[in-house]
Amino acid sequence: MSGTFTVINPATAQPIREIARAGADEVDAAIAAAVVAQRGWASSAPLTRADALRRFARVVEEHVEELAQLEVLNSGHPIGSARWEASHVAQVLNFYAGAPERLSGQQIPVAGGLDVTFHEPYGVVGIIVPWNFPMTIASWGFAPALAAGNAVVLKPAELTPLTAIRLGELALEAGLPEGLFSVVTGSGSVVGQRFVSHPDVRKVVFTGSTEVGVSVAAGCAQALKPVTLELGGKSANIVFEDADLERAASAAPGAVFDNAGQDCCARSRILVQRSVYDRFLELLEPAVRGFAVGDPTLEGTQMGPLISASHRSTVAGFVDGANVAFRGSAPDGDGFWFAPTVVLAERGDRIAREEVFGPVVAVLPFDDEADAVALANDTIYGLAGSIWTENLGRAVRVSRAVKSGVLSVNSHSSVRYWTPFGGMKASGLGRELGPDAAEHFTETKNVFFATDD
Ligand code: TXE
């Protein structure tokens, strides 16, 4: 071990626990154990793997409240959101528990024999997770990876390791073989990098900043190892003049302030057609002021604190000098609080282009449909987005024209575990979740059996 690090409750700024900082030797030991466990796991019957994942899902279900309380403590997520997240992990496990028996190959017509394909697991998969949704993002990787016959080594973010550690313990309680799913705590530059460089880790899944994602991808390229990247976003919430403005305005705060804006899918740019711009802002203001920010342990809380003091300074830096239209409220006690903030922005402003990852939204006017599409696409990112209109043809045209991986019309939904999720452009590579995710953790093997004597 290379010492420990302290985990802090972001709502109180108080230390919670010391966590071991793994060195390269511990990472290598976890990978070696994973190699051994994976052989047995991959050769077990599909039903055996399915049953094991269903048991894991059941054990997680039985611990939803405990996991949720841990997430409130470690990440400051409101208790209602944290319960949803813990239940979501169980649902993701249940969904991919159906995969082992469904990973069918093909039989392809050939002359002189029989040609079949197999979906072979990679072996050991390394999953690197950020601090914003510690449990859910981890499960999007480990559930389909395990279902496809891989072993998993998981690295949580230093700021938020507690639920991942607990999930590792619950996997063992559920009867998953020792070493099959290991949680290794420590720094990105040691543990995460070792996943990238270790020859026995055959695929890497990374969620985090675009900058680190690019370096992880470069390392994986050196080792010729596939990588899935879920990176940043600057998603547009496009409100046309023919939209139901009341609904659009009342839904807008949740779409950006949920998880205090620390959400890769946050609709952090609201683009409003100029003819309804003033009216929309009038409707938005009470919705923002009414957003319940406070103690995350309380049932009615909609938004908790930011994750750390240093992240709060970064977020505050975006608002310095910006044209703030109005703000919601936040507690002033200890903890990394930041009030929801609405900024009137110009195209080209830093606040309109860069990911803030905090409860700050930039509102910009647009002229017509073509202008809305151009403005929505005027970003290096392409993760999510929403389109508010009562015109069906426009909804179809604009949703095809916006270059984002996950769009929603007259709603802000982004994540359903049974539909694909992921970004275009600088928002990432590859897709998670949905019907094909387990297959993404396999390589196709083609075998020709000669039948002619
Ligand atoms: O991310 P990092 P951070 C954005 C967001 C946020 C900023 C920084 O704007 O403010 O990134 O967040 C591990 N090799 N997003 O610092 O550094 C690290 O330990 C391998 C957006 O948390 O990218 C952690 O487990 N791994 C994003 C994970 O990578 C490394 C979500 C993410 O850390 C590593 C998170 C390395 N060299 C942040 N360096 C979104 N949009 O969802 C670090 N890590």
Side-chain angles (χ1 to χ4, degrees):
M1 286 301 155
S2 319
T4 59
F5 57 97
T6 309
V7 176
I8 293 189
N9 179 342
T12 61
Q14 293 303 308
I16 310 168
R17 219 201 271 177
E18 291 294 309
I19 299 291
R21 188 183 287 285
D25 289 353
E26 281 92 25
V27 187
D28 287 3
I31 295 169
V35 168
V36 174
Q38 192 267 336
R39 280 192 212 118
W41 178 245
S43 60
S44 65
L47 178 62
T48 305
R49 276 180 276 139
D51 275 347
L53 291 173
R54 286 192 190 104
R55 275 198 308 275
F56 189 7
R58 264 199 308 280
V59 172
V60 171
E61 258 159 29
E62 287 158 14
H63 291 80
V64 160
E65 190 58 28
E66 182 198 335
L67 288 163
Q69 295 291 351
L70 260 187
E71 206 65 276
V72 173
L73 185 70
N74 190 173
S75 306
H77 293 191
I79 181 64
S81 310
R83 285 194 187 112
W84 182 92
E85 290 160 31
S87 303
H88 178 85
V89 173
Q91 289 156 3
V92 172
L93 278 165
N94 261 324
F95 182 69
Y96 289 107
E101 294 134 315
R102 292 183 173 85
L103 275 172
S104 316
Q106 289 178 306
Q107 177 268 313
I108 299 170
V110 287
L114 170 72
D115 192 282
V116 290
T117 65
F118 298 90
H119 292 299
E120 302 286 5
Y122 279 104
V124 179
V125 174
I127 300 177
I128 303 169
V129 173
W131 46 260
N132 59 332
F133 287 105
M135 278 189 270
T136 53
I137 291 175
S139 72
W140 301 355
F142 70 68
L146 292 170
N150 300 281
V152 168
V153 282
L154 169 70
K155 193 202 97 61
E158 291 97 307
L159 292 169
T160 58
L162 298 190
T163 47
I165 293 171
R166 191 68 187 119
L167 285 170
E169 294 165 356
L170 295 178
L172 289 175
E173 260 179 51
L176 256 65
E178 194 87 35
L180 186 71
F181 173 47
S182 306
V183 179
V184 189
T185 52
S187 67
S189 56
V190 175
V191 182
Q193 264 312 305
R194 196 67 191 128
F195 291 0
V196 173
S197 64
H198 197 296
D200 287 335
V201 175
R202 293 309 316 150
K203 175 167 177 156
V204 172
V205 178
F206 172 87
T207 305
S209 61
T210 297
E211 190 189 358
V212 175
V214 168
S215 86
V216 164
C220 287
Q222 285 291 329
L224 284 180
K225 135 178 351 182
V227 61
T228 302
L229 301 173
E230 298 290 357
L231 309 173
K234 192 72 192 174
S235 298
N237 174 8
I238 311 172
V239 182
F240 285 99
E241 61 188 3
D242 59 35
D244 180 335
L245 288 186
E246 278 78 10
R247 274 185 65 213
S250 69
V256 59
F257 303 143
D258 185 52
N259 201 18
Q262 303 165 125
D263 181 342
C264 46
C265 295
R267 273 51 166 191
S268 55
R269 293 183 296 155
I270 307 182
L271 316 183
V272 189
Q273 196 152 12
R274 209 176 289 279
S275 51
V276 294
Y277 178 82
D278 290 340
R279 175 71 188 133
F280 181 82
L281 283 172
E282 268 169 35
L283 292 166
L284 182 64
E285 183 166 353
V288 170
R289 293 197 192 280
F291 209 72
V293 182
D295 183 349
T297 63
L298 301 179
E299 298 285 339
T301 297
Q302 291 173 288
M303 184 182 125
L306 289 170
I307 194 66
S308 67
S310 91
H311 188 52
R312 181 172 58 181
S313 336
T314 309
V315 171
F318 277 93
V319 177
D320 279 348
N323 181 9
V324 173
F326 42 85
R327 305 190 74 172
S329 59
D332 11 277
D334 293 336
F336 313 124
W337 300 101
F338 199 89
T341 303
V342 177
V343 170
L344 306 183
E346 305 279 337
R347 300 172 190 215
D349 287 354
R350 182 170 171 241
I351 194 98
R353 306 190 72 80
E354 294 179 25
E355 182 176 50
V356 179
F357 225 54
V360 181
V361 68
V363 187
L364 295 102
F366 67 84
D367 294 315
D368 54 21
E369 192 176 307
D371 191 32
V373 169
L375 187 51
N377 287 335
D378 183 22
T379 166
I380 60 166
Y381 297 113
L383 186 49
S386 306
I387 298 149
W388 291 80
T389 176
E390 295 293 302
N391 177 330
L392 178 61
R394 168 172 281 165
V396 173
R397 285 193 302 274
V398 176
S399 56
R400 297 303 303 273
V402 173
K403 291 188 170 44
S404 285
V406 190
L407 288 163
S408 183
V409 175
N410 293 331
S411 96
H412 292 298
S413 76
S414 298
V415 172
R416 290 186 185 82
Y417 55 82
W418 62 101
T419 62
F421 176 85
M424 297 179 175
K425 304 191 317 196
S427 289
L429 273 184
R431 295 291 176 271
E432 298 192 282
L433 299 177
D436 304 325
E439 201 177 313
H440 295 163
F441 287 98
T442 67
E443 302 189 87
T444 302
K445 177 184 282 174
N446 188 76
V447 183
F448 171 72
F449 298 86
T451 50
D452 293 351
D453 287 333

